[in-house]
Amino acid sequence: MLRISPATRVSLGLVMLTITILLLADVFGFIPDERRGLLEGRKKFAETLAVQTTLAASRDQMDLVKITFDTLVSRNGDVVSASLKDADGESLVTAGDHLANWESPEDGKSTPTHVQVPIFRDNESWGQMEVVFKPVGAIESPIGNFQPLHILLGLFSVLGFIAYLIFIKRTLRELDPGAVVPERVMSAFNTLAEGVLILDDRQQIVLANTAFTEKIGKEGVDFRGKKANSIGWDIDPNKSDNQLPWTKCIDDGEHVIDQPLRYGPENDKRVFMVNATPIGDAKGDAKGVLVTFDDITDLERKRVEQSHTMARLEKSEKELQDRTI
């Protein structure tokens, strides 16, 4: 099952909320809309052209109408085609590829892209003028034409989500968990002899007690928000299972007990016995890890010294036996 982090869910929610506000603002007219002015201009333009066409048609000056339509299509970038038809629907004058571009409105009313104006002669319907305009405010692209508002919403959906996600993640890192933890709890937390880390499900450090920072020689360092894996642990590459204990705990959802872990330079290597316990929610899903570090460096050194001593004794005993034979 795909796990979506809280920061991602919040970012998606903020994007949807902002898009909703933008759409409502557009519906109520709070966002300036150039389309309204453009449509009004097209309406007046078509009416003026219809008057000129009516006057020329009444004088049977079809050549003048043809010149006017051709000039209109060639010089006006918004006009795709134009046509003058008689009462029977026969085309008398056409400019541009009108047959391919014209679509008669279903209700007989003009649309922002397909305008039809009736032509009258002697107060009787003589025909109609048809003009095809480019889509209002559309921006051409290889995959089609889009309205500016649609492009704005699309860009904001992507860029807004990325910006929200980065901001929320940075904010969460800067939040002080100690602000919501009672002081007496923090005091008890810091009095523990063992080093203790509390990690979230991304293995970032939420809390680290003073014993931990002292044991690794980082007194006063604030580890909150840092990855526990980035501290610099010495993992034995020869072992088949070289996962860090908290990583294994999160992946398997099980306790990891008494796993040795080394830290520091070779001349001052610290050895810890690490226990990791998953922190789950009510559903049993792992939301973090409680990790304890028991410093066994002195015991390990004594064990190594004893091992060396036993090895020397065994060697001496063998040399004595060889001499007596």
Side-chain angles (χ1 to χ4, degrees):
M1 182 177 179
L2 180 63
R3 296 178 61 185
I4 302 177
S5 67
T8 302
R9 291 198 297 268
V10 172
S11 299
L12 288 172
L14 289 174
V15 167
M16 297 304 297
L17 178 61
T18 308
I19 289 177
T20 302
I21 294 174
L22 289 175
L23 289 174
L24 289 175
D26 182 63
V27 169
F28 289 105
F30 294 112
I31 296 180
D33 190 358
E34 296 181 357
R35 295 177 299 170
R36 295 188 179 95
L38 184 59
L39 289 175
E40 188 65 25
R42 287 182 177 183
K43 179 181 177 181
K44 293 180 180 180
F45 170 80
E47 291 174 351
T48 303
L49 182 62
V51 171
Q52 296 176 353
T53 303
T54 300
L55 181 60
S58 65
R59 299 175 180 178
D60 293 326
Q61 296 177 337
M62 294 302 171
D63 292 340
L64 179 58
V65 176
K66 175 65 174 174
I67 294 173
T68 302
F69 281 12
D70 287 340
T71 304
L72 176 66
V73 172
S74 62
R75 295 188 178 182
N76 192 324
D78 284 339
V79 178
V80 178
S81 64
S83 178
L84 176 63
K85 296 180 179 179
D86 60 18
D88 297 327
E90 292 290 335
S91 294
L92 302 176
V93 177
T94 300
D97 193 359
H98 191 73
L99 183 62
N101 292 289
W102 178 255
E103 296 178 2
S104 297
E106 295 181 358
D107 55 0
K109 296 181 180 180
S110 298
T111 67
T113 56
H114 294 72
V115 177
Q116 56 185 16
V117 181
I119 303 296
F120 294 91
R121 177 186 290 180
D122 299 329
N123 295 326
E124 292 183 1
S125 179
W126 180 84
Q128 72 176 13
M129 182 190 70
E130 299 171 351
V131 182
V132 178
F133 292 93
K134 287 185 177 180
V136 180
I139 297 177
E140 296 181 357
S141 72
I143 60 175
N145 297 331
F146 297 93
Q147 298 297 330
L149 179 61
H150 299 161
I151 295 176
L152 173 64
L153 294 178
L155 287 175
F156 185 83
S157 298
V158 177
L159 299 180
F161 171 76
I162 295 173
Y164 280 138
L165 185 61
I166 293 175
F167 176 77
I168 291 173
K169 283 187 173 182
R170 186 174 295 274
T171 301
L172 290 176
R173 289 176 184 173
E174 296 298 328
L175 288 177
D176 182 9
V180 296
V181 179
E183 184 178 353
R184 61 181 180 278
V185 176
M186 286 299 300
S187 298
F189 186 65
N190 287 326
T191 56
L192 295 174
E194 289 183 322
V196 181
L197 288 180
I198 297 179
L199 314 179
D200 62 16
D201 56 353
R202 292 170 294 174
Q203 304 181 42
Q204 290 182 341
I205 297 174
V206 178
L207 287 176
N209 70 344
T210 53
F212 174 79
T213 58
E214 291 173 356
K215 289 179 184 297
I216 65 172
K218 301 289 184 180
E219 295 91 343
V221 176
D222 188 359
F223 285 99
R224 289 172 299 183
K226 296 182 180 180
K227 291 279 189 178
N229 298 11
S230 66
I231 294 178
W233 305 103
D234 185 7
I235 303 176
D236 189 352
N238 298 320
K239 290 185 178 180
S240 58
D241 184 10
N242 60 355
Q243 275 188 311
L244 289 167
W246 46 87
T247 302
K248 185 176 181 181
C249 180
I250 291 177
D251 291 344
D252 300 340
E254 298 178 353
H255 299 270
V256 177
I257 300 175
D258 293 341
Q259 179 171 329
L261 195 61
R262 299 176 183 273
Y263 175 83
E266 288 297 331
N267 59 349
D268 188 24
K269 187 76 67 177
R270 310 298 297 179
V271 183
F272 298 97
M273 196 63 72
V274 182
N275 297 322
T277 303
I279 302 174
D281 57 13
K283 298 180 181 179
D285 298 328
K287 295 299 181 181
V289 186
L290 174 66
V291 190
T292 61
F293 298 80
D294 187 11
D295 191 348
I296 60 171
T297 303
D298 293 338
L299 293 176
E300 183 68 12
R301 288 174 180 170
K302 291 179 180 179
R303 185 191 67 79
V304 172
E305 291 175 358
Q306 290 177 351
S307 178
H308 290 167
T309 301
M310 291 298 297
R312 288 195 297 269
L313 290 175
E314 290 177 356
K315 182 179 179 181
S316 299
E317 183 179 358
K318 185 177 180 180
E319 292 175 351
L320 289 174
Q321 290 177 353
D322 292 341
R323 291 175 183 177
T324 57
I325 295 177

